[in-house]
Amino acid sequence: MRVIRSMCIAFSTYSRLPMPQVEWTEENRKYSMCFFPLIGAVIGLLLWGWLWLCDTLSIGPLLRGAVGALLPILVTGGIHMDGFMDTSDALASWQSKERRLEILKDSLVGAFAVLGCAGYLLLHAAVLSEATAACGPMLSCVFMLSRALSAWAMAAFKSARPQGMLDAFAKAAHKRLVTISCVIYALLCALVWIFSGIWLALACLATAAICVWYYRHMAYKQFGGVTGDLAGWFLQVTELALTAVIVLGGKLG
């Protein structure tokens, strides 16, 4: 039952999918991040189904891309995009680490957040407008791997804000099991990608590794560690980068 409660907490926190109400205790949160990538699997399957429907009904690229880009936001309620927007504002401020952390907590939306969100959605929609159902298996893994890497980073990287939401999950998490589960998710994604093509798989894995490296470098340098908002920024950037590699790389193959 503890495992089921942890899964419910993961889905109720990071998605808008209906879940039973579970008491928010440290014990119940212990394994919640192990199930975080499963939300990505749900998003990936929905996107795959949408692309299949587009191919079947000959739906045009504009609607294909627009709905595809909005699907992750509809499932998650925009929690990760919110982090992406807050981080865009903080990075564009060119202030001290302390001031950047304050900007992350500020509920006001700045110009750079709006521009970043609009640019992201336009680019994501444009890339997905070129995708077909044949890309479905590989794209499904994108959303699962981004969350697996984000959960692993939560357990492995230094927190910039000791009292933040990410730190609360990190302290409650069983870090060894989170790491093991994330490795399993990553291996599963790698196998799916390798089955689809070795060179494209290597490109995806290299891209994911670069995103993780840059996330740590940027977070430590600009903020002194990771936060929940930065984790959202990383997740969004990783998903866009991997989606572009799969869709555009598939055309080159």
Side-chain angles (χ1 to χ4, degrees):
M1 288 300 295
R2 184 189 307 164
V3 173
I4 295 176
R5 288 194 292 267
S6 291
M7 183 179 68
C8 290
I9 287 177
F11 273 79
S12 61
T13 303
Y14 294 107
S15 81
R16 290 297 177 265
L17 300 174
M19 283 287 144
Q21 292 295 320
V22 175
E23 187 179 359
W24 189 276
T25 64
E26 185 170 324
E27 191 65 23
N28 286 341
R29 284 183 289 162
K30 193 172 186 180
Y31 306 106
S32 60
M33 296 310 292
C34 297
F35 298 99
F36 182 38
L38 293 182
I39 301 171
V42 172
I43 295 171
L45 290 174
L46 288 173
L47 178 60
W48 188 0
W50 168 245
L51 293 175
W52 174 84
L53 186 64
C54 289
D55 288 353
T56 302
L57 301 180
S58 299
I59 293 175
L62 184 59
L63 185 59
R64 177 190 298 256
V67 173
L70 288 175
L71 270 175
I73 294 178
L74 292 175
V75 173
T76 63
I79 185 172
H80 307 301
M81 181 56 74
D82 177 71
F84 176 85
M85 294 174 69
D86 288 340
T87 303
S88 298
D89 264 343
L91 289 174
S93 70
W94 296 101
Q95 300 293 317
S96 65
K97 291 180 182 178
E98 293 74 18
R99 177 55 184 151
R100 292 192 193 105
L101 288 172
E102 290 177 7
I103 293 173
L104 291 182
K105 293 191 295 183
D106 195 338
S107 59
L108 297 177
V109 177
F112 290 101
V114 175
L115 290 172
C117 179
Y120 183 98
L121 291 176
L122 281 172
L123 189 55
H124 198 195
V127 172
L128 287 175
S129 71
E130 301 291 332
T132 64
C135 303
M138 294 193 76
L139 289 177
S140 296
C141 292
V142 167
F143 300 94
M144 186 161 63
L145 181 64
S146 66
R147 284 160 177 77
L149 293 176
S150 182
W152 170 78
M154 176 209 70
F157 295 171
K158 179 178 66 174
S159 174
R161 189 182 294 142
Q163 285 78 37
M165 179 179 175
L166 187 75
D167 188 64
F169 269 94
K171 288 178 179 178
H174 193 302
K175 294 187 178 182
R176 182 168 176 270
L177 283 182
V178 169
T179 300
I180 292 173
S181 66
C182 290
V183 169
I184 293 173
Y185 287 122
L187 289 175
L188 178 61
C189 292
L191 286 174
V192 172
W193 286 343
I194 290 172
F195 184 77
S196 300
I198 183 65
W199 294 112
L200 195 53
L202 291 175
C204 287
L205 294 173
T207 300
I210 292 171
C211 288
V212 171
W213 171 82
Y214 184 74
Y215 173 43
R216 185 184 186 280
H217 171 76
M218 181 275 290
Y220 279 46
K221 181 179 180 181
Q222 303 294 343
F223 299 90
V226 298
T227 70
D229 286 321
L230 295 179
W233 177 90
F234 164 70
L235 188 146
Q236 296 287 168
V237 169
T238 302
E239 288 177 359
L240 180 58
L242 288 174
T243 300
V245 168
I246 290 170
V247 175
L248 302 180
K251 290 182 177 294
L252 295 176

